[in-house]
Amino acid sequence: MVKPIVFVINILFFLTASILAAADVSVKSHDFVVSGVIINSGNANLIERFTQYLTAKSGHSLKPVFASTYQELSNTLRDNPDAIGWTCGAPYVQDHALDKQQLLSVPLFNGKPLYYSVIVTRKGRPEKSLTDFKQQILSYSDPRSNSGFVAPAFQLKKQGIAIKTHFRLLLNAGNHERSITAVLNGLADVAAIDEYVWVEYLKKFPQTGKSLHIIDRIGPFPFTPVVAGRSVPSDTIDKLNDALVNMPADAEGRQLLKELGIDGFVIKQNKFYDDIKVMLTELGWRLN
Amino acid sequence: MIYSWIKKSYSRQLGALLLTTGLLISGAIAFFNFQAAVNLTRETMQESSEQLAKTLALVISDDVRYNKYFQLWDRLNQVYKSSRRSNLKPGSLVIREIAVIDNHELILGHTEPGNNQLQLPYQHELIDSLNHDVGSISDAYSHWFNKNSTLVTVLPVYFSSERIGTLILDINTSRLDAIEQKLLRTFWFYLLAILVILFCVSYIFSKWITKPLNQSIRYLDTLGRGNIRLPELTLRNDEFRVLGISIEDADMRLYNDTQELISYRDHLEDQVKARTKELESFSYSVSHDLRSPLRAIDGFSKALLDDNSDQLDEQGRSYLNRVCAATKRMGLLIDDILMLSRVSRTEMNYASVNLSELATKIVYHLQEQEPRHSVNVTIQKNLVCQGDKRLLNIALENLLGNAWKYTHGSDKATIELGQTRQDGDTVFYIQDNGVGFDMQFSKKLFDPFQRLHGSEFEGTGIGLATVQRIIFKHNGLIWANASVDEGATFYFRIGNRTAYPEQNK
């Protein structure tokens, strides 16, 4: 008599487990791919907290994924179109054109969704602009970085100078922080740095200001956007946008914004990045 | 100076030999050990440097091949900083700089990019001083720049089998210099310790080796006494046993021979004494017995002259006068010989003798006998010595009598008795300004029957021999100093019982 009861209980257990496993597929998390400006030394924990905050506020599970280059980020969103990303203006413009990447929100830096590319070199040097660094070494964060490469390349191109021949060497440092380090250690003579990263870097390493200084600014440009892959549904985008835009409304959001060094997020349309699109077109990037 | 000090002792020579040999051998061993330690340390450092270079070359080959400058610099910098952090750990390499250059010797990566910029020709003072072309080095190559405290390791960087660049590693060897200094200090410390130990061992060993020799030498002083016993040597089993036995035998032989010689000497001395006594007795007897016939000759000759002179012619009287004179002279000779004989046989009777008083009496008698001989005599007062008064009186009689005799003819004759100091001893002297004598005959002066003057001065030639015998019996010495016509001075010293003038005591 007991054995049939045990058998029935076992059957019920396996059925329940199978239903729960199916339900888990329906709540699958989105990759939140981060690269470029957001990856600073030691802020992985902050990104994880930011991701958890968005998960909690949007109701959509996000899992942080760190890409070492913008190309890797673009490839990830291309191959995994459900993913969310925090990218740079130039890659976004190209990825939007080629992969239908969707724009969510743009961070506010100093109250505006804009930033500059700052030209940094060692103090005591005579050069005043990028043109003065002929046959020297430019350090940049990523070949697809707007502030690190596109902006200086466009700046020089406007003067009829090809960035690849103007400098003796273009040094790909991997990110803005390392680009600063390259100039600081004499590896490179000059670097184009995201203004936001430069400000954050000086907060962490104030002594850097004694060795390096800004000799020029290029911009302003639309700031680095939060984007979504082509398959992310609009309600998800809306919920994520709500979570981002309303961050200043709660204490945890404000604390995260303070730690990230930005003032909040604002929803922008794709045309907001037209200036970058113009630059990329001028520089010959493939946009269709 | 040290050499002569060492040469004076066999023990020191042996010790010096041991010390020098030991020091040379130990010093050489210590030096070779020091050199080996230094070489081992250097080889270890060079091996570590080359191993590090090889590992690093593997790690960076991808960065070099694909011109990942920042990654390359980052890796070089990590290794560089790691070496700096482990600076204090023993055995760790302290990197001065790392450079990676391409096949055209342009910089691909450098730990000091400010001084060696990317894609510019590599600048390295030490590498430039090498005769090698860096590009031609096909395997790990290290070179020591001791003056710069630097070890440079050069290693080609390969990607698969393609040479894509060269890694140059500069190691700071100043720690090695410090280690070598420490090793050198240790070397000197050990050498000093070895020196001290060797010195002690050499001292003990040389003393141990030379101990039987020193025992032998010590006993050689008493060789011939027949009491040398050397069990320390004769109980040994080495060569010193033979030496010990030989010394004991030699001692015993010498002792026996000496005893025989002493015995024979005593026998001879007894014989000499007996003969001397016989001779003296004979001499005394002869002298004494000659007196009676001599007195008879003298007496009868004078009686013949007194009673029968008118019966004799002039020639006969002359002959008899000559007989009387000859007998008188012979009498004097007999008296002197008897005196000499008596002096030899006289037993010494020591007492304090005042020579001044004796001399004063003698001079008084001389003046009485010859009042017409004017002599200025000076006698120092209180000349006292220990001796036989009677014999010293005889000596003074002879010496003063000679002075008196040989000042005949002097216009202002002087005689002086006094004392002086010569070589720390008190010496008495009798000085006159008489005829003196030639010093070439001074050796014969005290021989019996030797006379330095002719018949113008009477004398038998026995007086000074008698004086010398008296002085000798007093364990003293007598000598003279004179020149012809300028007087003579006789000095004499009475043993160690020296007299001082009373007023100077």
Side-chain angles (χ1 to χ4, degrees):
Chain A
M1 190 64 192
V2 176
K3 281 186 179 177
I5 292 171
V6 172
F7 177 75
V8 171
I9 289 170
N10 280 339
I11 292 295
L12 285 173
F13 175 77
F14 283 115
L15 281 172
T16 309
S18 301
I19 290 164
L20 284 172
D24 186 49
V25 170
S26 69
V27 292
K28 183 188 170 196
S29 63
H30 298 274
D31 284 344
F32 184 66
V33 190
V34 185
S35 177
V37 297
I38 304 304
I39 301 178
N40 290 324
S41 55
N43 71 351
N45 188 41
L46 179 61
I47 296 298
E48 282 189 3
R49 281 169 52 215
F50 177 64
T51 310
Q52 286 165 8
Y53 174 83
L54 287 181
T55 300
K57 294 295 178 183
S58 66
H60 289 277
S61 177
L62 295 178
K63 183 181 75 179
V65 173
F66 298 98
S68 57
T69 64
Y70 285 126
Q71 190 59 55
E72 188 182 336
L73 184 146
S74 296
N75 293 345
T76 306
L77 262 72
R78 184 192 66 205
D79 300 339
N80 180 14
D82 281 336
I84 308 298
W86 194 346
T87 186
C88 180
Y92 163 70
V93 169
Q94 189 174 43
D95 294 345
H96 172 73
L98 299 179
D99 283 334
K100 301 191 185 317
Q101 211 174 69
Q102 305 177 75
L103 179 66
L104 268 69
S105 297
V106 183
L108 292 169
F109 179 59
N110 293 328
K112 293 178 181 176
L114 303 170
Y115 77 119
Y116 286 86
S117 170
V118 293
I119 309 303
V120 173
T121 188
R122 286 187 294 279
K123 284 184 176 176
R125 293 187 63 127
E127 295 88 348
K128 299 295 180 191
S129 67
L130 281 175
T131 51
D132 296 335
F133 287 94
K134 189 175 169 65
Q135 287 306 304
Q136 297 194 42
I137 300 172
L138 172 76
S139 175
Y140 62 94
S141 57
D142 190 293
R144 300 178 76 220
S145 166
N146 181 64
S147 57
F149 193 84
V150 174
F154 183 70
Q155 170 91 341
L156 288 168
K157 190 172 176 59
K158 281 197 295 184
Q159 298 173 64
I161 300 168
I163 191 167
K164 289 188 178 174
T165 53
H166 179 63
F167 293 103
R168 185 172 83 248
L169 186 69
L170 295 169
L171 181 68
N172 184 353
N175 62 42
H176 285 299
E177 274 200 344
R178 284 164 48 157
S179 200
I180 294 169
T181 310
V183 179
L184 198 60
N185 290 290
L187 192 64
D189 300 295
V190 64
I193 308 293
D194 184 314
E195 184 191 11
Y196 161 73
V197 176
W198 173 252
V199 170
E200 290 299 305
Y201 191 89
L202 285 183
K203 283 181 190 171
K204 281 186 181 174
F205 309 105
Q207 72 277 14
T208 307
K210 292 178 182 174
S211 306
L212 305 184
H213 69 145
I214 297 168
I215 57 167
D216 200 4
R217 289 168 187 267
I218 309 171
F221 302 106
F223 204 15
T224 53
V226 178
V227 297
R230 64 178 182 273
S231 301
V232 178
S234 58
D235 62 324
T236 304
I237 290 172
D238 291 343
K239 285 178 181 174
L240 285 170
N241 271 337
D242 284 346
L244 288 165
V245 170
N246 292 316
M247 277 185 79
D250 63 82
E252 188 182 359
R254 283 196 299 277
Q255 178 61 31
L256 282 168
L257 289 172
K258 186 182 174 186
E259 289 182 40
L260 284 166
I262 54 179
D263 303 317
F265 286 87
V266 64
I267 298 168
K268 287 289 181 183
Q269 297 304 310
N270 187 51
K271 64 179 180 182
F272 181 61
Y273 285 89
D274 281 352
D275 287 348
I276 292 177
K277 190 175 182 181
V278 171
M279 287 198 301
L280 296 182
T281 306
E282 281 292 318
L283 291 171
W285 283 40
R286 192 167 72 89
L287 295 174
N288 50 47
Chain B
M1 187 175 170
I2 293 174
Y3 177 70
S4 58
W5 179 75
I6 290 171
K7 267 186 76 177
K8 285 178 184 171
S9 162
Y10 179 68
S11 166
R12 287 176 203 155
Q13 288 172 30
L14 194 62
L17 183 68
L18 285 169
L19 186 65
T20 310
T21 310
L23 201 60
L24 282 174
I25 294 169
S26 308
I29 291 169
F31 179 73
F32 286 125
N33 276 336
F34 164 72
Q35 275 298 336
V38 168
N39 290 339
L40 182 66
T41 313
R42 281 176 171 254
E43 282 169 15
T44 305
M45 180 172 266
Q46 184 170 326
E47 203 172 296
S48 301
S49 174
E50 290 176 2
Q51 196 59 45
L52 174 65
K54 285 173 182 172
T55 309
L56 197 55
L58 283 174
V59 171
I60 63 171
S61 63
D62 192 65
D63 300 333
V64 175
R65 176 65 183 83
Y66 298 112
N67 294 332
K68 296 178 182 174
Y69 299 107
F70 192 90
Q71 284 86 338
L72 177 61
W73 171 79
D74 204 21
R75 288 189 213 280
L76 299 183
N77 225 24
Q78 281 179 25
V79 174
Y80 173 73
K81 285 180 179 173
S82 170
S83 91
R84 290 278 160 178
R85 279 197 296 275
S86 60
N87 189 4
L88 296 174
K89 292 180 184 171
S92 61
L93 293 174
V94 180
I95 297 170
R96 193 165 265 153
E97 62 177 61
I98 311 172
V100 179
I101 56 176
D102 64 14
N103 291 336
H104 304 290
E105 297 193 10
L106 297 176
I107 292 284
L108 295 174
H110 200 284
T111 47
E112 291 179 14
N115 298 330
N116 275 279
Q117 292 198 335
L118 295 175
Q119 289 297 313
L120 287 181
Y122 178 47
Q123 303 290 330
H124 193 301
E125 190 183 334
L126 300 180
I127 290 287
D128 293 345
S129 70
L130 282 177
N131 292 327
H132 291 73
D133 177 16
V134 171
S136 68
I137 294 171
S138 59
D139 200 0
Y141 169 80
S142 293
H143 189 88
W144 291 86
F145 294 92
N146 293 326
K147 283 184 182 174
N148 305 75
S149 297
T150 303
L151 167 68
V152 175
T153 296
V154 179
L155 184 81
V157 180
Y158 289 95
F159 187 83
S160 298
S161 57
E162 178 195 0
R163 179 169 182 162
I164 53 173
T166 306
L167 173 72
I168 297 155
L169 195 61
D170 280 23
I171 303 296
N172 184 348
T173 61
S174 50
R175 276 189 64 200
L176 192 68
D177 298 338
I179 290 168
E180 285 179 12
Q181 287 296 321
K182 195 176 173 183
L183 280 171
L184 193 63
R185 280 198 299 276
T186 311
F187 165 74
W188 283 118
F189 172 75
Y190 279 129
L191 206 60
L192 186 67
I194 286 168
L195 180 67
V196 172
I197 292 167
L198 276 176
F199 184 82
C200 296
V201 169
S202 302
Y203 178 78
I204 294 166
F205 196 64
S206 62
K207 285 287 175 192
W208 178 63
I209 288 283
T210 57
K211 187 182 174 184
L213 199 62
N214 289 332
Q215 284 171 339
S216 312
I217 292 166
R218 195 164 61 246
Y219 277 105
L220 285 178
D221 288 345
T222 60
L223 198 66
R225 293 182 189 173
N227 58 357
I228 292 179
R229 297 291 177 271
L230 295 169
E232 302 94 337
L233 302 184
T234 54
L235 294 176
R236 293 169 71 107
N237 294 318
D238 52 17
E239 293 85 345
F240 285 108
R241 180 172 180 271
V242 180
L243 180 67
I245 292 169
S246 300
I247 289 172
E248 284 186 357
D249 287 352
D251 176 55
M252 192 50 69
R253 274 203 307 277
L254 264 174
Y255 176 73
N256 291 335
D257 292 349
T258 307
Q259 290 307 311
E260 277 182 26
L261 283 171
I262 289 170
S263 174
Y264 190 62
R265 184 195 66 189
D266 290 347
H267 170 67
L268 286 176
E269 278 184 357
D270 289 346
Q271 279 192 332
V272 168
K273 278 180 186 172
R275 296 280 163 82
T276 306
K277 199 171 181 180
E278 282 174 13
L279 275 173
E280 284 176 350
S281 298
F282 173 74
S283 173
Y284 181 79
S285 300
V286 168
S287 303
H288 191 266
D289 290 349
L290 282 174
R291 277 179 173 276
S292 295
L294 201 60
R295 274 200 298 272
I297 293 166
D298 186 52
F300 284 115
S301 297
K302 282 182 178 173
L304 198 58
L305 278 172
D306 291 342
D307 297 343
N308 300 95
S309 65
D310 52 342
Q311 294 174 358
L312 297 171
D313 57 7
E314 191 59 29
Q315 191 175 15
R317 285 196 292 275
S318 174
Y319 287 157
L320 279 174
N321 281 330
R322 287 187 181 183
V323 168
C324 286
T327 50
K328 187 182 177 185
R329 175 167 172 72
M330 192 170 178
L332 286 173
L333 267 171
I334 288 166
D335 286 347
D336 285 350
I337 288 167
L338 282 172
M339 177 66 74
L340 186 63
S341 172
R342 199 177 299 129
V343 165
S344 299
R345 287 184 289 116
T346 301
E347 291 293 323
M348 294 292 285
N349 188 14
Y350 277 104
S352 179
V353 179
N354 191 323
L355 298 177
S356 304
E357 287 178 0
L358 292 179
T360 303
K361 286 178 183 174
I362 292 164
V363 170
Y364 176 75
H365 285 299
L366 288 170
Q367 285 173 336
E368 264 194 338
Q369 286 171 10
E370 281 189 278
R372 283 186 295 173
H373 183 34
S374 173
V375 181
N376 182 17
V377 179
T378 307
I379 298 169
Q380 194 175 328
K381 288 184 178 176
N382 296 323
L383 300 177
V384 180
C385 71
Q386 292 289 323
D388 189 293
K389 186 177 180 181
R390 196 167 58 84
L391 291 179
L392 288 172
N393 191 55
I394 293 167
L396 285 177
E397 278 178 348
N398 274 290
L399 290 170
L400 288 168
N402 282 346
W404 186 271
K405 180 166 63 181
Y406 293 120
T407 52
H408 277 102
S410 298
D411 290 340
K412 293 180 180 177
T414 59
I415 297 172
E416 183 185 351
L417 171 62
Q419 73 174 14
T420 184
R421 302 282 296 177
Q422 282 188 11
D423 300 329
D425 290 329
T426 299
V427 173
F428 301 101
Y429 66 88
I430 293 169
Q431 188 177 46
D432 66 65
N433 61 348
V435 294
F437 56 87
D438 190 343
M439 281 299 285
Q440 66 174 315
F441 303 114
S442 62
K443 288 184 179 176
K444 295 181 177 179
L445 201 59
F446 299 103
D447 291 347
F449 305 111
Q450 289 292 338
R451 300 200 69 236
L452 302 184
H453 299 92
S455 57
E456 69 272 24
F457 296 106
E458 285 185 351
T460 59
I462 296 173
L464 285 177
T466 306
V467 171
Q468 189 190 46
R469 193 162 293 186
I470 290 168
I471 297 300
F472 280 0
K473 277 183 81 80
H474 283 83
N475 194 27
L477 282 173
I478 184 165
W479 66 99
N481 193 12
S483 59
V484 177
D485 295 333
E486 289 184 8
T489 305
F490 283 82
Y491 298 93
F492 62 94
R493 195 178 66 203
I494 306 297
N496 293 324
R497 293 173 288 275
T498 309
Y500 293 95
E502 288 291 334
Q503 65 267 30
N504 289 340
K505 282 187 177 178

